[in-house]
């Protein structure tokens, strides 16, 4: 693997500052989630070399900053360039759309990006398919699993390793 440690640290620090005190559904600092997504992407890049590692890892670390914080795409572009801003924007669901439409819209935009952006979405859902929060009802768990299948079916060609890991997680999710 060959990525810029300085760029990785810059993106990690940016994400940590942007997410601030935000927590995961199980109460961990949110930076644990984005670091886990980056770890999944890093493992895939190691097994399936040849991609733009900096783009993949920076997008992994920043994938939720526009959707979940006050960060603007223009701020990402100023700090990390157009490709990162475009990748994170594609990974960001449009809040003006209904939930099922928003996911399909995001997946369509991801497909127009380099494969590394699709790898981030696959890794994000792998990470999110940990045991569901105890307050989730069976219907929500089922819908989340179905959405994961849609993600795997739509983006799986970006990484055979991540697609296989996602399908394994789907098989175990909520059981």
């Amino acid at each position: 693997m060959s990525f810029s440690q300085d760029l990785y640290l810059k993106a990690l620090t940016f994400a940590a500052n942007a997410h601030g005190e935000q927590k995961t559904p199980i109460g961990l600092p949110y930076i644990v989630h984005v670091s886990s997504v980056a770890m999944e992407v890093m493992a895939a890049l190691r097994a399936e070399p040849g991609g733009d590692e900096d783009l993949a890892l920076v997008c992994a670390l920043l994938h939720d900053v526009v959707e979940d914080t006050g960060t603007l795409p223009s701020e990402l572009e100023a700090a990390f360039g157009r490709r990162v801003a475009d990748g994170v924007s594609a990974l960001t669901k449009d809040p003006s759309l209904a939930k099922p439409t928003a996911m399909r819209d995001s997946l369509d935009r991801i497909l127009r990006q380099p494969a590394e952006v699709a790898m981030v979405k696959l890794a994000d859902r792998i990470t999110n398919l940990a045991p569901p929060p105890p307050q989730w009802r069976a219907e929500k768990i089922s819908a989340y699993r179905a959405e994961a299948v849609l993600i795997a079916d739509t983006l799986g060609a970006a990484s055979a390793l991540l697609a296989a890991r996602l399908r394994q997680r789907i098989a175990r999710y909520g059981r």
Side-chain angles (χ1 to χ4, degrees):
M1 279 193 61
S2 177
F3 65 93
S4 166
Q5 293 98 321
D6 292 335
L7 183 59
Y8 185 96
L9 185 57
K10 179 182 177 183
L12 181 63
T13 302
F14 189 102
N17 288 328
H19 288 289
E21 297 300 316
Q22 184 181 357
K23 303 285 186 195
T24 67
I26 60 168
L28 294 172
Y30 202 78
I31 199 68
V32 172
H33 166 68
V34 298
S35 296
S36 297
V37 172
M39 179 268 309
E40 290 286 348
V41 170
M42 199 176 300
L45 290 167
R46 187 177 207 185
E48 304 166 338
D52 182 336
E53 295 170 1
D54 284 331
L55 177 64
L57 293 171
V58 170
C59 283
L61 292 167
L62 300 173
H63 76 274
D64 279 336
V65 297
V66 172
E67 189 168 293
D68 293 346
T69 75
T71 304
L72 300 173
S74 59
E75 293 174 87
L76 291 180
E77 185 172 354
F80 299 99
R82 183 88 178 141
R83 292 183 75 213
V84 169
D86 287 348
V88 173
S89 292
L91 292 159
T92 302
K93 291 184 285 306
D94 181 342
S96 72
L97 300 174
K99 188 171 174 123
T101 305
M103 177 56 75
R104 289 186 188 276
D105 171 68
S106 178
L107 293 174
D108 288 344
R109 289 183 286 116
I110 290 168
L111 286 170
R112 293 192 295 270
Q113 293 295 313
E116 292 83 356
V117 176
M119 291 173 70
V120 172
K121 186 63 182 178
L122 292 164
D124 180 41
R125 192 48 63 107
I126 289 165
T127 301
N128 287 340
L129 286 180
Q135 68 272 22
W136 281 21
R137 295 176 179 243
E139 301 83 34
K140 185 167 184 171
I141 293 168
S142 178
Y144 202 70
R145 184 186 302 112
E147 196 175 73
V149 171
L150 175 64
I151 292 166
D153 289 348
T154 305
L155 304 178
S159 168
L161 178 88
L162 291 173
R165 277 188 54 75
L166 179 53
R167 291 194 188 284
Q168 289 170 347
R169 288 281 178 104
I170 291 167
R172 293 191 318 253
Y173 186 68
R175 302 225 184 272

